[in-house]
Amino acid sequence: MPIAPNTVPSLDISPIGLKSETVLPPVTFPSVSIFGVRFDSLTMDETLLILDEFVQRRRPTQVCLANAYTVALCRKDEALRNLLEQSDLVLADGMSIVWGAHWIGLSLPERIAGPDLMTGLCKHASQKGYSIFLMGSSRENLDMLQKVLLSRWPRLRIVGLYNPSMCDQFDEDENRRILEMIRQARPDILFVGMSAPKQEKWIAQNLNRLHAPVCMGVGAAFDFLSGRIPRAPERLQRIGLEWLYRLSCEPRRLWRRYILGNIVFLSLLLNEIIRYKFSRLRAFRF
């Protein structure tokens, strides 16, 4: 069911981080709750406008991209569910979320996929002069990604690249090194390309020490945009089968995410539809 509009408080900060006499008004946007997980009801264009506001306000914000697997994880991971609830923006990265919302009477205008959002935001950043930092993946892939991004947008300011160690959790020294690197680079936008929900939890734990106005986990977007992994054809994306294409490419790594995640989400959705139909039938009889 719909929940109260999400609100980003006004801040007395100018776009360059100095005190200003003008207080920026709060940013508000509608949200819905799907099986206890908040999703903000936004189009891609609206999202880019809000992210631009976030950059100008200079307050560290966390942007999350969630899908059916995320909803499934939240059934048992209360910390992740609370993290999403407290994030500044939660976007529907999956057609199953958009369709599921529609079937239970909620409004989500479109899917906002990680690679598409990163593409749109890099284009916007190149036009506005915003800087970005790329964290995740391998050094080889980061170098290729940087080359691809600069070939598309030569004016894009990439102020840092870092491929952290592959582990479930960074040790204290590694974490301190990462935070210092990002602090010195002072990016406007931090893209984290690690697995979910590791990337979301790391951003949440370190958000106030990152000093980046926009921080978001984009998962495999680095691999897609660099060309290391081919993305599903557009026709499969449009009909909600991009997950099946990805599963066929990496079945061993992704079977749990897509098979189990989709089963849990579909069971929740069917239960909700049956409950809704049953309540309508009872109301009609009486």
Side-chain angles (χ1 to χ4, degrees):
M1 59 185 297
I3 60 178
N6 198 2
T7 302
V8 178
S10 60
L11 299 177
D12 187 18
I13 302 178
S14 72
I16 57 173
L18 302 177
K19 289 290 182 179
S20 169
E21 295 179 359
T22 303
V23 177
L24 294 173
V27 179
T28 59
F29 38 87
S31 301
V32 299
S33 178
I34 300 179
F35 310 126
V37 179
R38 188 192 104 223
F39 287 89
D40 296 311
S41 185
L42 299 167
T43 65
M44 177 67 79
D45 289 341
E46 290 168 341
T47 298
L48 292 173
L49 287 174
I50 289 170
L51 294 179
D52 188 84
E53 289 278 348
F54 286 174
V55 172
Q56 294 185 43
R57 290 165 191 273
R58 309 308 302 174
R59 179 178 70 86
T61 60
Q62 179 167 11
V63 178
C64 295
L65 295 149
N67 54 23
Y69 179 64
T70 310
V71 172
L73 287 178
C74 285
R75 304 300 292 175
K76 294 185 177 181
D77 192 336
E78 185 177 357
L80 176 60
R81 187 168 64 251
N82 292 337
L83 182 161
L84 294 171
E85 184 63 34
Q86 295 166 13
S87 294
D88 297 273
L89 210 57
V90 182
L91 305 168
D93 183 6
M95 286 306 300
S96 58
I97 297 294
V98 176
W99 290 338
H102 176 73
W103 289 336
I104 58 178
L106 302 177
S107 176
L108 284 175
E110 63 179 282
R111 176 195 182 197
I112 300 180
D116 298 332
L117 180 58
M118 185 173 171
T119 297
L121 197 48
C122 284
K123 178 181 178 180
H124 186 73
S126 70
Q127 295 168 344
K128 302 281 285 192
Y130 297 152
S131 61
I132 71 170
F133 192 108
L134 305 170
M135 171 185 164
S137 193
S138 66
R139 185 67 200 198
E140 180 183 7
N141 195 49
L142 285 178
D143 289 339
M144 180 59 69
L145 176 60
Q146 177 176 235
K147 185 180 300 184
V148 169
L149 294 179
L150 291 178
S151 69
R152 296 186 66 177
W153 303 290
R155 297 176 60 187
L156 180 62
R157 296 174 55 215
I158 301 177
V159 295
L161 307 171
Y162 186 64
N163 58 301
S165 56
M166 299 290 291
C167 57
D168 291 335
Q169 187 171 353
F170 303 131
D171 62 37
E172 188 174 331
D173 289 340
E174 171 78 333
N175 203 60
R176 189 183 302 113
R177 180 163 53 250
I178 294 170
L179 293 175
E180 179 62 19
M181 192 180 308
I182 295 172
R183 187 190 67 80
Q184 290 186 9
R186 297 179 61 83
D188 295 305
I189 303 162
L190 170 65
F191 291 112
V192 180
M194 301 190 298
S195 61
K198 175 183 174 181
Q199 58 189 8
E200 286 77 21
K201 291 184 174 182
W202 181 82
I203 291 173
Q205 291 165 1
N206 296 281
L207 185 62
N208 292 328
R209 295 185 288 172
L210 287 170
H211 304 290
V214 173
C215 306
M216 70 172 69
V218 292
F222 286 9
D223 295 322
F224 291 133
L225 296 183
S226 71
R228 192 183 77 83
I229 296 177
R231 196 173 178 193
E234 287 191 16
R235 64 180 181 277
L236 292 182
Q237 296 179 41
R238 286 195 300 269
I239 62 176
L241 290 179
E242 183 171 13
W243 68 271
L244 187 59
Y245 182 88
R246 286 201 64 197
L247 180 61
S248 68
C249 293
E250 299 180 271
R252 287 190 176 183
R253 189 174 75 86
L254 298 176
W255 73 270
R256 183 181 299 274
R257 171 185 297 268
Y258 289 121
I259 300 300
L260 296 184
N262 286 344
I263 288 174
V264 171
F265 182 78
L266 286 174
S267 66
L268 292 170
L269 183 60
L270 287 173
N271 286 336
E272 183 66 17
I273 292 173
I274 292 171
R275 187 190 65 79
Y276 175 74
K277 295 292 185 182
F278 184 70
S279 65
R280 288 284 300 274
L281 181 61
R282 290 184 60 186
F284 177 75
R285 286 179 175 178
F286 290 100

